[in-house]
């Protein structure tokens, strides 16, 4: 295979012929294919300079090699050149591979006058277009039995004919690589390094003047450093050309004004894009149902938890009313409508902190809770007015993914807690212990009485004590087992349907349809299984009375001290809102999603602040942007294509429908459902909700680079995918950075899951501290150029 560098696609399409050429003498067939490859970037791809530093010193250099036939007159002159180079390259004796085996792989025919795989450069032709640069040729070969990479470079004594397209070769590079090797060290990747250098005409001219192999290698190393410097300077110049037009902190309302100016021209298209275009209506409907189920079920679960924590001051009814009102307002007024807002698990935890503080200081809970919400909205508006969201330019992918992974862990922990609670209540309670003892006693009573009267008496006493133990809950082991089946079944069916698009079954359209409706189908199927098929099993129902009692909060019950004390909690809560809202928006606006209409960080902060101010006045729970719903919302509205790189397939987003309709329709559906929810809710088992939590946690890991790099810690190097950071960052630095991310995640988990509520108050501050840690501490462990390659800061 000849890989031609620099050929434009139009010319390549004309020249790229997979030709079948009959060799008349032997009747053989020859398959040829031309394929363009990119020059090696010696700045971004760290392996380039590493190859020069490591391989060049060990490479064999032959100067002024003569083109002479072997002793056997039937062999070609090209074979004699390769024989001479192999003798020099394999002289160390560490390899066990034979010369004949090597030549059978290097050449494509028995006559050994055609190289099997080559890389050449292209130059601009005299009559326009491109033609092959015949001054040099690089032969690449993968050898299964080879242990180390071997490179040989020869400068021919005169221009040599090495076959079609290589009639006047002056420099010949021979590269041998093991088959089972890291993706950045393959024969093709190594060839890219040396071919990029030999494409430089000034290098080839300088190499003609070299008289020793040391001088020859020194010139190659010098040129590699010069190319790296030129590429780095070009990048710096490009970055200087970018005009810094960001709002400053002392320019009040500048960020809000810029956001509105950026987003208002697209406002009507935000509605139109949901129905106009190929598959737009289909995607809008499926995404609406995804949001409907992924919002209403967690809202009901959080409502039950809030009901238990607050003694009914905040319940399911209030959460649903707040969700519908706040969700619709945000959907209509937000700058980035793909962001999803709702009550989240961190807000439930913070509400419990507010409750404990109110109880400790004797404040009435609901007025104190509402005052904290008003202070929170006040601080958020201050942040937006003075353009503090510009700080998110320091937010990097690692911060966003670390927080996203924390949310996935929190969802998983919640699901497992509910499962453990079910087993504790129904499987391992006192009634079950009594049944076990009685069963064992009845089974062994006859034998024990005959064999050992003492054992029989002891068993009788144990049974009597167990019978005296309290048995408030009956032994219902079938409940716990069904809980486990429904939970795991929901996540299994959901993930299987979500990945169904990757299977060969059915047509592509039907596969995509099933994938779009993965979550609704999983929830409905296992709700039917739990409530209809196993209707004799007594599963615990959700609490929902259907009484919507929404009134103004009596703020007059608060003292002046309580009002100002609420400001402290409001400030801490505002940091959580600021980080969570902006991180969610940054993940939605990720460059990988290819959104066209821009962001609106400052304006969205104002909208969220106003929504929460209104909710607080009526004693409704807070809400902000939520993970992983927001990035999953984008994925549901996206068109994707599968791209294969070096044998690895990955899904790439090609287009996203940036519409408000999905958020609007899903919240309208929730509002309609509230009218008859009390009749539907008994048919939805709690285990299905936990399965939904696990589904959200699992699907949030798709495309998560932190999770990918964690898996690389236990992955064979030869199986590393050709990701950009693997090419650009040394392996040790990459694993060091991953370890630092894991430490950050551990710190978040410690503060997020601690049983002490006052410690949880500083959780938002800990999250905010990740920004200076990323820019001030991590550069001490990993060089900045590697950090920018593996973890670029948000570019919006």
């Amino acid at each position: 295979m000849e890989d031609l560098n620099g050929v434009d696609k139009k010319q390549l399409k004309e020249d790229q012929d997979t030709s079948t050429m009959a060799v008349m003498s032997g009747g053989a067939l020859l398959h040829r294919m031309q394929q363009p490859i990119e020059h090696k970037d010696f700045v971004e791809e760290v392996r380039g300079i590493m190859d020069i530093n490591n391989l060049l010193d060990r490479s064999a250099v032959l100067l002024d090699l003569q083109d002479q036939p072997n002793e056997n007159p039937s062999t070609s002159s090209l074979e004699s050149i390769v024989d001479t180079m192999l003798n020099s390259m394999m002289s160390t004796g560490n390899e066990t591979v034979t010369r004949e085996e090597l030549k059978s792989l290097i050449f494509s025919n028995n006559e050994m006058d055609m190289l099997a795989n080559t890389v050449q450069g292209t130059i601009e032709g005299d009559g326009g277009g491109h033609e092959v640069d015949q001054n040099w040729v690089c032969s690449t070969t993968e050898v299964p039995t080879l242990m180390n990479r071997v490179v040989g470079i020869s400068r021919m004594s005169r221009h040599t004919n090495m076959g079609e397209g290589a009639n006047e070769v002056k420099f010949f590079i021979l590269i041998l690589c093991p088959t089972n090797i890291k993706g950045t060290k393959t024969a093709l990747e190594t060839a890219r390094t040396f071919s990029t250098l030999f494409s430089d005409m000034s290098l080839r001219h300088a190499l003609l003047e070299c008289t020793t192999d040391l001088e020859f290698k020194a010139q190659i190393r010098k040129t590699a450093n010069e190319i790296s410097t030129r590429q780095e300077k070009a990048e710096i110049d490009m970055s200087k050309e970018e005009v810094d037009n960001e709002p400053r902190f002392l320019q009040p309302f500048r960020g809000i004004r810029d956001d509105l100016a950026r987003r208002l021209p697209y406002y009507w298209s935000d509605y139109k894009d949901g129905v106009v275009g190929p598959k737009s209506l289909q995607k809008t409907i499926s995404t609406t149902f995804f949001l409907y189920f992924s919002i209403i079920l967690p809202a009901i679960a959080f409502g039950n938890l809030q009901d238990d924590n607050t003694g009914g001051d905040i319940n399911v009814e209030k959460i649903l009313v707040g969700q519908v009102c706040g969700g619709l307002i945000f959907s209509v007024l937000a700058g980035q409508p793909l962001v999803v807002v709702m009550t989240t698990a961190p807000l439930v935890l913070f509400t419990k902190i507010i409750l404990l503080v109110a109880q400790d200081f004797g404040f009435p809970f609901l007025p104190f809770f509402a005052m904290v919400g008003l202070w929170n909205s006040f601080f958020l508006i201050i942040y937006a007015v003075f353009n503090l969201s510009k700080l998110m330019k320091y937010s990097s992918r690692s911060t966003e993914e670390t927080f996203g992974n924390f949310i996935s862990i929190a969802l998983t922990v919640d699901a497992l807690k509910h499962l453990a609670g079910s087993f504790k209540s129904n499987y391992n309670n006192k009634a079950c212990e009594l049944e076990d003892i009685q069963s064992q006693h009845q089974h062994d009573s006859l034998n024990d009485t005959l064999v050992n009267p003492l054992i029989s008496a002891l068993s009788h006493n144990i049974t009597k004590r167990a019978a005296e133990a309290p048995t408030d809950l009956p032994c219902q082991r079938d409940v716990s087992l069904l809980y486990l089946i429904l939970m795991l079944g929901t996540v299994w069916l959901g993930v299987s349907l979500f990945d169904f698009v990757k299977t060969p079954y059915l047509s592509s359209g039907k596969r995509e349809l099933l994938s779009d409706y993965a979550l609704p189908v999983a929830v409905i199927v296992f709700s039917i299984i739990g409530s209809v098929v196993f209707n004799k099993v007594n599963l615990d129902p959700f609490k929902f009375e259907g009484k919507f009692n929404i009134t103004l909060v009596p703020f007059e019950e608060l003292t002046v001290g309580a009002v100002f004390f609420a400001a402290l909690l409001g400030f801490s809560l505002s940091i959580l809102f600021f980080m969570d809202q902006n991180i969610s928006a940054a993940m939605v606006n990720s460059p990988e999603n290819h959104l066209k209409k821009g962001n609106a960080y400052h304006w969205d902060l104002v909208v969220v602040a106003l929504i929460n101010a209104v909710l607080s006045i009526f004693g409704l729970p807070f809400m902000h942007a939520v993970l992983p719903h927001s990035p999953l919302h984008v994925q549901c509205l996206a068109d994707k294509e599968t791209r294969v790189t070096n044998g690895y397939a990955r899904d790439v987003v090609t287009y996203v429908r940036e519409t408000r309709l999905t958020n609007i329709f899903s919240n309208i559906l929730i509002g309609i459902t509230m009218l008859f929810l009390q009749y539907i809710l008994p048919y939805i088992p709690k285990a299905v909700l936990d399965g939904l939590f696990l589904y959200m946690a699992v699907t949030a890991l798709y495309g998560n680079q932190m999770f990918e790099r964690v898996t690389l810690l236990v992955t064979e190097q030869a199986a590393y995918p050709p990701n950009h950071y693997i090419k650009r960052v040394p392996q040790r630095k990459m694993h060091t950075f991953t370890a630092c991310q894991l430490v950050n995640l551990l710190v978040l988990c410690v503060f997020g899951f601690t049983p002490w509520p006052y410690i949880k108050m500083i959780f938002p501050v800990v999250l905010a501290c990740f920004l200076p840690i990323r820019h001030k501490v991590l550069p001490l462990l990993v060089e900045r150029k590697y950090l920018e390659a593996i973890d670029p800061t948000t570019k919006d």
Side-chain angles (χ1 to χ4, degrees):
M1 179 178 66
E2 297 179 353
D3 293 325
L4 300 185
N5 197 355
V7 183
D8 30 298
K9 291 182 178 178
K10 183 178 179 182
Q11 181 70 23
L12 176 67
K13 194 170 182 179
E14 297 174 359
D15 295 342
Q16 185 176 22
D17 61 328
T18 306
S19 62
T20 306
M21 181 180 68
V23 180
M24 300 304 294
S25 59
L29 298 176
L30 180 65
H31 173 247
R32 302 180 60 199
M33 184 174 66
Q34 295 179 343
Q35 175 183 330
I37 58 175
E38 295 179 352
H39 282 94
K40 180 79 78 172
D41 189 330
F42 286 93
V43 176
E44 296 290 343
E45 299 182 67
V46 64
R47 178 56 59 183
I49 292 297
M50 291 177 67
D51 279 347
I52 296 301
N53 293 334
N54 298 332
L55 286 179
L56 194 59
D57 289 336
R58 295 186 282 110
S59 64
V61 174
L62 290 82
L63 302 182
D64 300 325
L65 181 62
Q66 298 287 333
D67 176 21
Q68 295 178 349
N70 286 345
E71 295 179 359
N72 185 354
S74 63
T75 58
S76 66
S77 60
L78 181 56
E79 183 183 358
S80 70
I81 295 172
V82 171
D83 280 332
T84 305
M85 294 185 68
L86 288 178
N87 288 334
S88 180
M89 294 164 60
M90 311 300 287
S91 59
T92 57
N94 296 329
E95 302 288 349
T96 58
V97 61
T98 64
R99 301 292 189 274
E100 293 303 318
E101 181 183 352
L102 290 175
K103 289 195 290 183
S104 69
L105 296 170
I106 294 172
F107 294 103
S108 62
N109 59 350
N110 294 330
E111 289 76 16
M112 297 190 181
D113 56 2
M114 287 186 183
L115 297 170
N117 298 286
T118 62
V119 177
Q120 290 179 269
T122 58
I123 55 177
E124 194 169 331
D126 296 335
H130 292 85
E131 61 183 34
V132 176
D133 185 356
Q134 303 192 34
N135 189 258
W136 63 274
V137 64
C138 177
S139 172
T140 67
T141 305
E142 292 188 347
V143 185
T145 54
L146 200 66
M147 291 186 292
N148 299 295
R149 291 186 294 170
V150 186
V151 177
I153 307 173
S154 64
R155 185 182 69 190
M156 308 304 297
S157 61
R158 58 187 176 84
H159 290 91
T160 305
N161 185 353
M162 294 190 178
E164 185 179 354
N167 299 327
E168 298 180 346
V169 174
K170 186 65 178 177
F171 296 96
F172 179 42
I173 307 105
L174 180 59
I175 296 174
L176 307 176
C177 288
T179 303
N180 190 23
I181 197 170
K182 190 176 177 181
T184 55
K185 297 181 179 180
T186 61
L188 183 58
E189 287 298 321
T190 308
R192 282 182 62 216
T193 299
F194 286 92
S195 297
T196 300
L197 295 175
F198 277 86
S199 296
D200 191 327
M201 189 180 298
S202 60
L203 169 64
R204 301 200 302 268
H205 178 74
L207 293 179
L208 292 175
E209 307 299 324
C210 296
T211 56
T212 65
D213 58 343
L214 292 178
E215 187 181 350
F216 193 93
K217 293 177 180 179
Q219 186 62 50
I220 293 177
R221 185 175 288 107
K222 176 184 176 183
T223 302
N225 292 327
E226 289 175 352
I227 292 176
S228 176
T229 304
R230 285 202 305 267
Q231 290 174 342
E232 189 170 8
K233 185 175 182 299
E235 288 189 1
I236 295 173
D237 292 341
M238 288 178 62
S239 63
K240 288 181 179 179
E241 292 176 2
E242 297 178 358
V243 179
D244 185 11
N245 196 30
E246 293 181 348
R248 301 180 184 277
F249 295 129
L250 297 180
Q251 294 179 304
F253 300 98
R254 168 72 185 280
I256 298 174
R257 188 172 67 249
D258 289 349
D259 288 346
L260 292 174
R262 185 185 306 115
R263 288 294 309 192
L264 278 176
Y266 297 104
Y267 188 79
W268 292 115
S269 72
D270 288 344
Y271 295 92
K272 183 183 68 175
D273 290 350
V275 293
V276 177
K279 298 192 294 186
S280 291
L281 188 59
Q282 171 190 326
K283 287 284 187 181
T284 297
I285 295 173
S286 62
T287 305
T288 296
F289 281 106
F290 165 79
L291 289 180
Y292 170 75
F293 283 101
S294 63
I295 291 175
I296 191 171
L297 292 181
I300 293 170
F302 293 147
N304 275 265
L305 188 58
Q306 293 275 49
D307 195 356
D308 294 337
N309 291 340
T310 64
D313 287 338
I314 298 176
N315 53 26
V316 176
E317 290 84 347
K318 285 190 173 183
I319 282 189
L320 291 179
V321 170
Q323 174 61 48
V324 173
C325 297
L328 285 174
I329 294 172
F330 188 85
S331 303
V332 173
L333 299 182
Q336 179 49 275
L338 297 181
V339 171
V340 180
V341 293
M342 65 175 292
T343 294
T344 63
L347 290 181
V348 174
L349 296 176
F350 209 94
T351 301
K352 190 171 184 179
I353 294 171
I354 296 173
L355 174 67
L356 294 175
V357 172
Q359 291 174 345
D360 290 346
F361 289 89
F363 303 144
F365 166 67
L366 206 56
F368 187 67
F369 171 83
M371 185 54 65
V372 171
L374 291 178
W375 277 112
N376 168 59
S377 297
F378 169 76
F379 287 120
L380 290 179
I381 292 176
I382 293 297
Y383 300 157
V385 168
F386 290 98
N387 314 311
L388 260 68
S389 286
K390 68 171 285 187
L391 292 174
M392 292 310 294
K393 72 178 183 179
Y394 298 110
S395 174
S396 63
R397 184 173 186 134
S398 66
T399 307
E400 299 159 7
E401 291 189 340
T402 300
F403 184 64
N405 288 335
F406 168 76
I407 297 298
S408 294
I409 292 174
L411 293 174
T412 304
V413 169
D414 282 344
L416 296 180
K417 278 183 178 179
H418 297 158
L419 178 64
S422 177
F423 269 84
K424 184 177 180 181
S425 300
N426 301 295
Y427 198 93
N428 295 321
N429 57 23
K430 295 294 184 180
C432 291
E433 292 179 9
L434 177 60
E435 283 189 8
D436 290 341
I437 294 173
Q438 290 175 340
S439 176
Q440 184 67 26
H441 175 66
Q442 292 172 1
H443 183 268
D444 297 333
S445 60
L446 180 60
N447 292 334
D448 290 342
T449 303
L450 295 174
V451 176
N452 194 335
L454 178 61
I455 294 177
S456 176
L458 290 174
S459 177
H460 176 73
N461 286 335
I462 294 173
T463 305
K464 184 177 179 181
R465 286 198 301 270
E468 293 172 354
T471 56
D472 298 333
L473 296 173
C475 182
Q476 304 178 105
R477 286 175 169 163
D478 52 341
V479 172
S480 299
L481 292 176
L482 181 59
Y483 199 106
L484 177 64
I485 292 170
L486 294 179
M487 184 183 76
L488 297 181
T490 302
V491 65
W492 167 78
L493 182 59
V495 173
S496 298
L497 292 177
F498 186 80
D499 289 336
F500 197 76
V501 71
K502 302 176 183 177
T503 68
Y505 307 115
L506 304 180
S507 63
S508 60
K510 292 177 181 177
R511 290 197 300 266
E512 186 174 358
L513 188 66
L514 283 173
S515 179
D516 289 341
Y517 287 93
L519 180 61
V521 169
V523 169
I524 293 172
V525 167
F526 278 91
S527 294
I528 293 174
I529 291 175
S531 58
V532 178
V533 178
F534 293 95
N535 60 341
K536 299 295 179 64
V537 180
N538 298 320
L539 296 174
D540 293 334
F542 287 103
K543 294 179 182 178
F544 185 78
E545 298 179 358
K547 298 177 181 178
F548 300 95
N549 185 18
I550 311 299
T551 58
L552 292 174
V553 173
F555 288 103
E556 63 275 5
E557 297 180 7
L558 289 176
T559 63
V560 176
V563 171
F564 285 100
F565 194 92
L568 180 62
L569 287 174
F571 176 71
S572 177
L573 182 61
S574 69
I575 297 177
L576 175 63
F577 266 73
F578 179 82
M579 295 298 297
D580 210 342
Q581 178 70 34
N582 283 313
I583 285 176
S584 300
M587 295 183 74
V588 166
N589 293 310
S590 170
E592 296 177 353
N593 292 330
H594 304 295
L595 302 185
K596 306 296 183 185
K597 300 179 182 179
N599 60 70
Y601 292 111
H602 309 87
W603 173 246
D604 284 354
L605 214 55
V606 172
V607 174
V608 169
L610 295 176
I611 290 173
N612 281 275
V614 174
L615 296 178
S616 299
I617 292 173
F618 290 95
L620 300 175
F622 313 133
M623 63 192 313
H624 58 56
V626 59
L627 292 174
H629 298 62
S630 298
L632 288 178
H633 184 204
V634 178
Q635 297 298 315
C636 289
L637 288 168
D639 287 337
K640 302 177 184 178
E641 66 180 28
T642 301
R643 295 179 181 172
V644 179
T645 305
N646 294 346
Y648 290 87
R650 59 190 179 96
D651 290 333
V652 177
V653 172
T654 56
Y655 174 70
V656 176
R657 295 158 186 82
E658 302 178 52
T659 179
R660 299 177 186 272
L661 295 181
T662 50
N663 251 326
I664 292 175
F665 290 163
S666 60
N667 282 289
I668 290 176
L669 271 179
I670 293 173
I672 295 173
T673 305
M674 287 166 52
L675 301 177
F676 47 87
L677 186 59
Q678 57 185 334
Y679 307 108
I680 298 177
L681 209 51
Y683 296 98
I684 303 178
K686 288 184 178 180
V688 172
L689 170 67
D690 291 322
L692 180 144
F693 282 165
L694 292 177
Y695 171 86
M696 305 286 286
V698 170
T699 53
L701 298 178
Y702 285 53
N704 187 297
Q705 289 186 7
M706 177 182 175
F707 180 73
E708 291 175 357
R709 282 186 274 104
V710 170
T711 60
L712 292 182
L713 295 173
V714 292
T715 302
E716 184 184 7
Q717 288 190 14
Y720 279 17
N723 293 333
H724 68 280
Y725 50 82
I726 292 178
K727 292 182 177 181
R728 299 177 182 179
V729 182
Q731 181 176 320
R732 183 176 299 176
K733 299 293 184 182
M734 179 180 67
H735 291 329
T736 300
F737 179 79
T738 303
C740 293
Q741 264 191 291
L742 289 174
V743 171
N744 288 345
L745 181 59
L746 179 62
V747 171
L748 273 186
C749 290
V750 168
F751 282 90
F753 299 131
T754 180
W756 300 294
Y758 287 97
I759 299 296
K760 292 180 180 177
M761 285 179 58
I762 64 173
F763 173 83
V765 179
V766 173
L767 182 60
C769 287
F770 286 170
L771 298 185
I773 289 174
R774 161 64 177 82
H775 292 276
K776 298 299 182 182
V777 178
L778 282 183
L780 302 177
L781 302 174
V782 182
E783 290 87 334
R784 289 188 182 274
K785 63 178 181 179
Y786 298 143
L787 280 177
E788 280 303 310
I790 197 173
D791 183 39
T793 50
T794 302
K795 300 283 192 299
D796 277 318

